[in-house]
């Protein structure tokens, strides 16, 4: 056997790989040339700087840092620290520090003002705050400019001078990130307090116990809505005085050694002393940690962007932030539950019960409320949470949220509710796919309607499994919900597969007609006009059929027969019959389903990717994206409406399914668009929700109208090919349409007519002027059919809703047989053939 010739491209690829490997091995060690500093030198430098800063913290005293401000007395010289960012030459906006401190005290007073009233025990507030503030709070912020008179001072910050040893990615002030330029926006603060160890907390007996302090970490997300920038997320390190509920955080970077100067930013001597003593110990520990990791190029342990790798090698300058936060006292209705609690340490009991629930009676989960003031010393802006005293509580109540345990409980219970919703969707899908189990019923269902639902469920499944993998606290609930979503996906895939399979011949037919239209312009009509059978032979057929019991033949028999018919007769468009002719093409079927499956997965991945990256888009763009995607998703019934029109069929889906799915799929939107404190902290937007719900509502009404008025109501006649009308207005003199259906024609000697004559109906018929009777061949019951007499005006009694509804009771086939609507519809669920003459029937 001769060797297969390797294609030219393969050679090129091999050569490329070899060249790459060569370069990889031949490249010299990535160390810098001699004389240049190594990574270790950088680390040693950084550690030395940190140590110097710590020394400064060690030796300085309260009020050693009192920069020049508008209120500084003339005779008093301003004092600065020899600490990066705290020096006079750095030219930071420290003149606003006093305003920041003052505002912080105002906010603390505002919060504590409420506990003072408690002494009289009037408003049921407790004089205590949560001591463990681990949790999430969110709210709105506003820019504070009240302390600025006129234009802000022009400052000259020269990064090269401030930090000679750092290579900044760029210098220009206008490119600094986190520069908040808008006037308001959203704010979210995630507070995190680790279990206190010996180092992390401090209680000095020389100070009052109320000044006990411990270290804390917070993650702050600021969204600047009036500017083009998106939200900034940063990690802050700082101090927490738990008895007072006061917190002070700061960012720390090469150009601002915030954490080393943090005690100087407090507003009281006690806070300064306790903070300095704690930081003296924790920072010492942190520097020791850096020394141990010197070989691994230790990064700044207090960095505010721990996730960005570039921060260590080529830092991007960003605005620094000092954050003051005040926890509000608990709002507890003491009267209801205080009887069981020891008044001395109510907060501890509540916190213990929240964290380790064992059924102790506690007041209803008091919320966590925090007010905050933030100040950027280098960019010079000051922002604060929106709320009293400047704003009424209706405008904003500072930051509201929950303790972490309660928040997790909330998410878990909502996940459970969501799992129930998905489960209900599964049940509906199950009922629907059971209902649509025959080829003719499946043929009516739109592939896209079900595929959109499947796509949504698959997206849900992937995001929920991501959640259950990344959030260990939510593991059981998220897993349960993602499992229900998986079940829904599995069921949906089966249903979509079935629909695809059944509609395959139809698609092929369409493809073929598209190809052949160029050569053969005349397309065979889907519903061939049949010569009316009004002869005695026809009546004969009817008589025979009515005598014999109707047996629904098994699928195989009829399939074979159809196959024979179709091979002999001209090929008819019969999408709902699985003729054996398709067996030769079965491999192609499955492979094309594979192709569409791959397409589906690709679209899904694409959507997932876009949605994940949309979290970093500007807010208006993201809102637009989310709303557009929601709108497309909630257009689920549009493909079905379209299919009803093209196929001229009704009753594709159960009403139970349509209404149920609409409601269930709107429920999550209702939650996120309407509920104020939803678990994603998403902004409520009832207008958008009304649009979405209204859109679904309109689609449902269109479906209802299609059911009642016919699938093609309201469409111009030339937009579609006229399909067979199963509910025609019957006229005695309707010659061009082939006259009246069999059995309604008055042929002397016809058995049907004999029976009709003998029945008393005949008399009434004459009276009504237009009701004829015939036996329905399926149920053997008498069927009354209104007939417009010759020469009468058909619009008189056949028009209008009453006429339409009356005509809905019977169905006339192209072969001019008449049945009860219910009977023939039931029959057509199994076979698209006339039960009497086995003529093919156009789909309903
Ligand atoms: C802190 O300062 C004191 C003197 O005020 C000195 O004895 C001590 O060694 C210093 N500690 C550190 C870690 O620099
Ligand atoms: C500030 O500290 C640096 C070393 O970090 C030192 O060279 C400089 O002289 C100090 N400046 C003052 C005013 O003490
Ligand atoms: C910043 O300071 C350095 C060193 O003092 C100086 O060379 C540079 O020109 C200054 N840059 C600006 C923009 O003032
Ligand atoms: C505060 O609560 C969180 C969450 O339960 C816990 O992980 C943390 O250890 C607690 N912190 C303190 C200081 O008790
Ligand atoms: C800081 O810690 C050192 C010991 O590590 C101690 O000698 C010094 O007095 C402390 N300084 C302050 C201000 O507490
Ligand atoms: C921040 O934004 C303000 C206002 O747009 C601008 O004047 C300033 O240069 C920007 N950068 C810094 C570092 O302040
Ligand atoms: Zn019937
Ligand atoms: Zn027939």
């Amino acid at each position: 056997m001769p060797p297969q010739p390797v294609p030219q491209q393969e050679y090129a690829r091999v050569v490329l790989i070899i060249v790459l490997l060569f370069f990889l091995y031949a490249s010299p060690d990535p160390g810098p040339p001699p004389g240049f500093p190594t990574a270790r030198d950088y680390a040693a430098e950084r550690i030395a700087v940190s140590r110097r800063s710590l020394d400064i913290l060690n030796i300085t005293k309260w009020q050693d840092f009192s920069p020049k401000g508008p209120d500084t007395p003339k005779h008093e010289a301003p004092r600065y620290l020899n600490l990066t960012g705290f020096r006079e030459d750095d030219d930071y906006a420290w003149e606003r520090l006093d305003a920041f401190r003052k505002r912080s005290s105002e906010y603390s007073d505002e919060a504590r003002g409420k506990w003072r009233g408690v002494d009289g025990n009037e408003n049921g507030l407790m004089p205590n705050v949560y001591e463990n503030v681990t949790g999430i709070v969110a709210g709105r912020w506003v820019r504070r400019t009240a302390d600025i008179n006129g234009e802000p001072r022009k400052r000259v910050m020269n990064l090269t001078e401030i930090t000679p040893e750092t290579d900044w990615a760029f210098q220009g002030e206008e490119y600094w990130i986190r520069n908040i330029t808008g006037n308001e926006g959203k704010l979210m603060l995630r507070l995190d307090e680790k279990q206190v160890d010996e180092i992390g907390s401090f209680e000095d007996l020389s100070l009052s116990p109320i000044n006990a302090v411990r270290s804390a970490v917070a993650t702050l997300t600021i969204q600047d809505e009036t500017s083009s920038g998106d939200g900034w997320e940063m990690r802050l390190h700082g101090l927490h005085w738990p008895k007072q509920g006061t917190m002070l955080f700061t960012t720390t970077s090469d150009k601002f050694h915030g954490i080393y100067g943090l005690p100087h930013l407090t507003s009281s001597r006690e806070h300064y002393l306790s903070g300095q003593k704690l930081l003296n110990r924790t920072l010492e520990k942190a520097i020791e940690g850096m020394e141990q990791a010197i070989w691994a190029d230790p990064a700044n342990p207090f960095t505010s962007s721990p996730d960005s790798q570039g921060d260590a090698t080529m830092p991007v300058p960003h605005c620094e932030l000092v954050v003051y936060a005040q926890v509000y006292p608990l709002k507890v209705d003491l009267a209801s539950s205080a009887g069981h609690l020891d008044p001395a340490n109510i907060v501890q009991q509540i916190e213990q019960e929240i964290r380790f629930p064992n059924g102790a009676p506690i007041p209803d989960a008091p919320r966590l409320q925090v007010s905050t003031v933030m100040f950027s010393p280098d960019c010079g802006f000051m922002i604060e949470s929106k709320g009293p005293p400047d704003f009424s509580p209706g405008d904003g109540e500072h930051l509201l949220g929950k303790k972490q345990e309660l928040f997790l409980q909330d998410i878990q219970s909502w996940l459970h509710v969501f799992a129930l919703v998905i489960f209900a969707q599964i049940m509906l899908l199950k009922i629907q796919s059971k209902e649509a189990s025959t080829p003719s019923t499946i043929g009516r269902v739109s592939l896209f309607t079900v595929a959109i639902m499947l796509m949504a469920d698959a997206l849900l499944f992937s995001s929920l499994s991501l959640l259950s993998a990344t959030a260990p606290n939510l593991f059981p609930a998220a897993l349960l919900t993602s499992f229900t979503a998986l079940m829904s996906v599995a069921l949906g895939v089966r249903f979509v597969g079935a629909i695809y399979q059944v509609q395959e011949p139809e698609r092929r037919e369409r493809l073929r007609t598209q190809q052949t239209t160029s050569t053969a312009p005349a397309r065979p009509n889907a519903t061939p006009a049949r010569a009316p059978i009004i002869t005695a032979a026809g009546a004969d057929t009817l008589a025979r059929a009515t005598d014999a019991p109707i047996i629904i033949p098994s699928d195989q028999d009829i399939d074979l027969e159809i196959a024979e018919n179709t091979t002999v007769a001209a090929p008819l468009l019969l999408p709902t019959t699985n003729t054996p002719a398709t067996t030769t093409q079965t491999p192609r079927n499955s492979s094309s389903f594979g192709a569409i499956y791959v397409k589906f997965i690709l679209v899904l991945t694409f959507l997932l990717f876009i949605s994940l990256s949309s979290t970093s888009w500007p807010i208006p763009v993201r809102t637009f994206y989310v709303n557009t995607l929601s709108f497309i998703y909630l257009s689920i019934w549009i493909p079905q409406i379209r299919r009803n029109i093209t196929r001229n069929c009704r009753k594709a889906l159960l009403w139970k399914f349509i209404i149920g799915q609409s409601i269930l799929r709107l429920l999550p939107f209702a939650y996120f668009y309407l509920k104020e404190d939803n678990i994603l902290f998403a902004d409520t937007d009832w207008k958008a929700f009304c649009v979405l719900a209204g859109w679904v509502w309109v689609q449902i009404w269109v479906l209802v109208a299609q059911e009642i008025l016919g699938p093609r109501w309201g469409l111009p006649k030339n937009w579609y090919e006229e399909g067979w009308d199963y509910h025609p207005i019957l006229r005695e003199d309707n010659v061009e349409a082939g006259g009246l259906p069999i059995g309604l024609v008055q042929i002397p000697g016809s058995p049907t007519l004999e029976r009709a004559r003998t029945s008393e109906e005949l008399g009434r018929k004459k009276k009504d002027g237009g009701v004829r009777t015939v036996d329905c061949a399926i149920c053997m019951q008498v069927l009354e059919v209104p007939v417009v007499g010759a020469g009468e005006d058909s619009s008189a009694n056949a028009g209008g809703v009453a006429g339409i509804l009356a005509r809905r009771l019977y169905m006339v086939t192209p072969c001019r047989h008449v049945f009860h609507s219910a009977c023939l519809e039931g029959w057509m669920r199994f076979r698209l053939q006339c039960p009497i003459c086995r003529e093919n029937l156009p789909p309903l």
Side-chain angles (χ1 to χ4, degrees):
M1 195 175 169
Q4 291 273 319
V6 182
Q8 203 68 35
Q9 274 183 336
E10 289 301 308
Y11 279 126
R13 214 169 286 165
V14 168
V15 167
L16 189 73
I17 288 173
I18 289 174
V19 168
L20 272 180
L21 282 178
F22 177 79
F23 266 101
L24 248 147
Y25 281 105
S27 67
D29 272 349
F36 279 78
T38 60
R40 187 167 184 274
D41 295 338
Y42 278 124
E45 168 85 24
R46 179 169 285 154
I47 290 168
V49 169
S50 302
R51 226 172 238 301
R52 224 156 39 223
S53 299
L54 178 59
D55 281 347
I56 288 167
L57 173 66
N58 181 17
I59 58 173
T60 48
K61 296 190 184 54
W62 168 234
Q63 286 188 332
D64 271 358
F65 182 62
S66 54
K68 190 161 167 289
D71 301 334
T72 315
K74 285 270 181 302
H75 55 89
E76 224 175 90
R79 287 195 295 276
Y80 291 89
L81 298 176
N82 193 3
L83 197 62
T84 312
F86 292 82
R87 293 173 300 214
E88 185 166 19
D89 293 344
D90 295 341
D91 211 11
Y92 283 4
W94 286 118
E95 66 270 13
R96 295 190 75 183
L97 179 64
D98 276 339
F100 169 70
R101 282 182 176 149
K102 221 167 106 208
R103 193 63 181 159
S104 309
S105 310
E106 273 170 32
Y107 265 32
S108 283
D109 288 346
E110 170 65 25
R112 291 192 196 116
K114 302 204 166 142
W115 351 350
R116 284 193 211 109
V118 178
D119 295 341
N121 241 345
E122 262 128 18
N123 47 12
L125 284 171
M126 301 208 318
N128 287 323
V129 294
Y130 275 128
E131 293 188 3
N132 182 347
V133 288
T134 300
I136 302 183
V137 287
R140 298 192 70 80
W141 60 264
V142 287
R143 179 179 281 271
R144 178 164 179 83
T145 48
D147 59 301
I148 299 180
N149 304 317
E151 278 293 296
R153 179 172 65 88
K154 190 84 200 102
R155 289 172 294 120
V156 191
M157 287 181 287
N158 188 337
L159 280 185
T160 325
E161 267 177 2
I162 295 172
T163 55
E165 63 280 349
T166 309
D167 276 332
W168 293 99
F170 40 77
Q171 299 265 339
E173 271 179 39
E174 58 276 19
Y175 304 120
W176 289 19
I177 59 169
R178 300 183 195 162
N179 191 2
I180 313 269
T181 50
N183 282 322
E184 66 177 316
K186 271 196 327 182
L187 178 72
M188 189 165 97
L189 193 60
R190 281 209 312 273
L191 299 160
D192 189 11
E193 279 189 292
K194 293 278 169 306
Q195 195 71 49
V196 228
D197 54 8
E198 183 58 29
I199 295 285
S201 76
F202 179 76
E203 206 163 336
D204 189 355
L205 294 180
S206 65
L207 300 164
S208 69
I210 204 161
N211 286 309
V213 67
R214 61 188 181 216
S215 45
V217 177
T219 308
L220 175 68
T221 312
I222 302 182
Q223 284 178 355
D224 193 356
E225 284 176 2
T226 45
S227 80
S228 59
D230 186 26
W232 309 111
E233 183 170 293
M234 61 203 92
R235 205 160 167 75
L236 308 164
H237 297 260
L239 302 168
H240 177 207
W241 289 267
K243 299 279 181 205
Q244 302 166 16
T246 307
M247 284 172 275
L248 191 64
F249 299 100
T250 180
T251 57
T252 302
S253 73
D254 282 350
K255 65 181 168 67
F256 183 59
H257 285 190
I259 193 88
Y260 301 95
L262 190 62
H264 291 282
L265 306 178
T266 56
S267 40
S268 77
R269 189 173 165 274
E270 287 72 30
H271 283 180
Y272 173 82
L273 289 176
S274 49
Q276 186 203 27
K277 290 217 168 106
L278 176 66
L279 284 175
N280 189 19
R281 288 185 345 200
T282 51
L283 294 178
E284 175 69 33
K285 198 85 186 158
I287 293 176
E288 276 169 19
M290 282 165 82
E291 275 166 349
Q292 274 160 21
I294 191 164
W295 291 103
D297 185 21
N300 169 13
F302 300 102
T303 177
S304 59
S305 41
D307 298 332
S308 85
Q309 284 297 312
D311 220 33
T313 49
M314 209 171 195
V316 175
H318 54 70
C319 293
E320 311 293 342
L321 213 56
V322 178
V323 177
Y324 179 89
Q326 172 67 50
V327 184
Y328 269 62
L330 292 188
K331 269 184 191 151
V332 176
D333 187 7
L334 283 179
S336 67
S337 55
H340 316 285
L341 297 171
D342 180 5
N345 55 355
I346 288 182
V347 171
Q348 283 87 342
Q349 290 169 68
I350 293 177
E351 289 194 326
Q352 178 75 14
E353 174 59 25
I354 289 176
R355 198 165 163 201
F356 307 107
N358 52 14
I362 57 160
D364 231 9
R367 62 185 181 173
L368 187 60
Q369 188 177 6
V370 176
S371 62
T372 179
V373 186
M374 306 179 183
F375 167 53
S376 172
D378 49 355
C379 297
F381 60 81
M382 188 141 82
I383 63 179
E384 60 191 23
S385 55
K386 195 173 181 180
D390 282 10
F391 295 89
S392 73
D395 284 338
E397 288 196 85
H398 299 293
L399 311 180
L400 287 177
K402 291 196 171 82
K403 273 172 73 79
Q404 179 176 299
E405 296 91 342
L406 298 174
F407 185 65
L408 288 177
Q409 267 176 27
D410 234 32
I411 296 184
Q412 269 172 357
S413 43
W414 279 113
L415 278 176
H416 283 141
V417 171
F418 200 29
L420 277 183
V421 168
I422 302 176
F423 190 72
Q425 284 176 11
I426 294 176
M427 289 331 263
L428 282 176
L429 191 62
K430 202 169 143 256
I431 294 171
Q432 177 61 58
S433 55
K434 206 167 174 183
E435 169 75 18
S437 54
T438 57
S440 81
T441 43
I442 284 192
R444 302 174 199 160
V445 179
S446 164
L447 181 71
F448 286 102
T449 288
V450 186
I452 290 177
M453 294 183 187
L454 179 61
M455 180 77 76
D457 291 346
L459 266 177
L460 206 63
F461 167 66
S462 28
S463 34
L464 281 171
S465 24
L466 205 70
L467 181 71
S468 64
T470 49
N473 289 323
L474 297 174
F475 182 66
L479 190 70
L480 175 77
T481 317
S482 79
F483 184 70
T484 31
L486 178 65
M487 278 185 1
S488 180
V489 168
L491 214 67
V493 166
R494 218 188 61 183
F495 196 37
V496 165
I499 296 173
Y500 189 86
Q501 213 90 61
V502 164
Q503 297 179 1
E504 175 67 21
E506 175 192 347
R507 245 188 314 278
R508 222 171 23 237
E509 179 70 26
R510 199 161 52 222
L511 216 68
R512 203 167 55 213
T513 46
Q514 269 166 15
Q515 285 161 355
T516 50
T517 35
S518 48
T519 50
R523 182 173 174 258
N525 201 333
T527 54
R530 287 277 138 189
I533 313 171
I534 38 172
T535 55
D540 204 3
T541 321
L542 180 75
R544 217 178 49 221
T546 44
D547 287 343
I550 304 290
I551 300 159
I552 298 174
S554 82
D555 277 12
Q556 277 73 19
D557 292 348
I558 211 89
D559 273 343
L560 276 174
E561 225 174 290
I562 297 163
E564 279 162 18
N565 286 348
T566 43
T567 42
V568 176
L572 295 168
L573 183 66
L574 254 191
T576 51
T577 47
N578 251 338
T579 63
T582 56
T583 45
T584 51
Q585 280 142 332
T586 309
R588 221 188 71 194
N589 282 0
S590 55
S591 77
S592 65
F593 185 64
I596 204 148
Y597 196 68
V598 168
K599 234 182 260 170
F600 183 84
I601 298 284
L602 281 181
V603 171
L604 184 70
T605 319
F606 179 72
L607 270 182
L608 208 63
F609 190 76
I610 297 271
S611 303
L612 280 181
S613 67
S614 75
T615 51
S616 61
W617 293 354
I619 295 163
V621 179
R622 193 171 54 202
T623 312
F624 179 75
Y625 171 74
V626 169
N627 284 341
T628 312
L629 204 64
S630 311
F631 191 79
I632 294 173
Y633 168 42
L634 289 177
S635 306
I636 26 178
W637 306 120
I638 292 292
Q640 186 61 55
I641 292 171
R642 193 171 161 263
R643 185 163 183 84
N644 285 352
I645 291 172
T646 53
R647 300 246 320 180
N648 197 17
C649 62
R650 297 173 293 126
K651 298 185 188 294
L653 298 165
L654 294 173
W655 283 113
K656 220 188 307 184
F657 182 76
I658 295 173
I659 308 270
Q661 288 280 5
S662 303
I663 292 175
L664 290 174
R665 284 175 193 274
L666 271 174
L667 279 182
F669 287 92
Y671 175 74
F672 286 116
Y673 278 82
L674 299 183
K675 189 155 168 26
E676 288 284 349
D677 54 340
N678 55 62
I679 53 176
L680 285 188
F681 294 97
D683 263 342
T684 55
D685 187 353
W686 60 268
K687 276 185 203 148
F689 179 74
C690 286
V691 169
L692 292 177
W695 176 229
V696 175
W697 182 247
V698 165
Q699 292 172 59
I700 293 180
W701 274 108
V702 170
L703 281 173
V704 169
Q706 284 189 326
E707 169 93 27
I708 296 174
L709 304 176
R712 289 168 175 178
W713 68 275
L715 285 181
K717 286 262 186 287
N718 51 359
W719 276 26
Y720 51 85
E721 289 169 39
E722 189 73 67
W724 176 252
D725 180 11
Y726 275 104
H727 309 280
I729 298 173
L730 293 177
R731 302 179 60 91
E732 259 174 354
D733 55 351
N734 199 352
V735 188
E736 69 271 22
L740 282 176
I742 307 157
L744 300 181
V745 202
Q746 294 178 355
I747 301 166
S750 155
T752 322
L753 208 67
E754 294 300 330
R755 200 171 343 197
R757 278 210 190 101
T758 52
S759 70
E760 59 269 44
E761 297 290 326
L762 200 64
R764 226 188 62 188
K765 175 199 96 179
K766 294 274 185 266
K767 210 162 50 229
D768 291 1
V771 178
R772 307 262 176 103
T773 59
V774 68
D775 277 358
C776 168
I778 296 175
C779 66
M780 304 291 171
Q781 305 289 315
V782 173
L783 165 64
E784 290 180 20
V785 183
V787 174
V788 181
E792 279 180 49
D793 185 8
S794 63
S795 61
N797 55 355
V801 177
I804 290 172
L805 289 179
R807 277 187 278 130
R808 286 266 166 260
L809 294 177
Y810 63 87
M811 287 171 88
V812 182
T813 64
C815 49
R816 326 252 4 125
H817 288 119
V818 193
F819 305 94
H820 287 118
S821 288
C823 297
L824 191 62
E825 275 168 14
W827 168 271
M828 284 172 75
R829 286 168 38 80
F830 296 97
R831 290 289 104 208
L832 282 182
Q833 279 190 318
C834 175
I836 299 174
C837 63
R838 295 207 167 172
E839 197 64 53
N840 289 319
L841 297 178
L844 196 57

